[in-house]
């Protein structure tokens, strides 16, 4: 019943992310990269990479809801 609403809301939330945020999610979820590997790619500390990933995931959750 809610599948189409969820899909539309999630697609809109993904589209509103910056390219960097989308790449971060893609590298973590699809590519299976660790926080340490992502940190090395962006030349940032692992805790910064973890915070950025958490922020992006929170945004997707609240935007989809």
């Amino acid at each position: 019943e809610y599948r189409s609403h969820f899909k539309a809301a999630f697609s809109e939330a993904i589209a509103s992310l910056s390219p960097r945020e989308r790449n971060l999610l893609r590298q973590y979820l699809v590519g299976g990269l660790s926080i340490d590997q992502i940190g090395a790619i962006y030349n940032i500390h692992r805790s910064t990479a973890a915070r950025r990933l958490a922020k992006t995931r929170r945004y997707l959750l609240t935007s989809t809801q």
Side-chain angles (χ1 to χ4, degrees), residues 3 5 11 14 16 25 28-29 34 40-41 44 50 54 57 63:
R3 182 181 304 195
H5 296 293
S11 295
I14 290 286
S16 69
L25 278 177
Y28 184 73
L29 296 173
S34 69
I41 289 171
I44 56 176
R57 293 175 76 174
S63 294

Side-chain angles (χ1 to χ4, degrees), residues 25-63:
L25 278 177
R26 185 180 303 114
Q27 290 164 339
Y28 184 73
L29 296 173
V30 178
L33 297 181
S34 69
I35 295 297
D36 291 318
Q37 292 169 315
I38 292 171
I41 289 171
Y42 291 104
N43 197 29
I44 56 176
H45 193 271
R46 69 181 314 275
S47 63
T48 303
R51 282 193 304 270
R52 287 182 184 176
L53 180 62
K55 179 183 171 191
T56 301
R57 293 175 76 174
R58 275 193 310 272
Y59 174 80
L60 281 179
L61 177 64
T62 58
S63 294

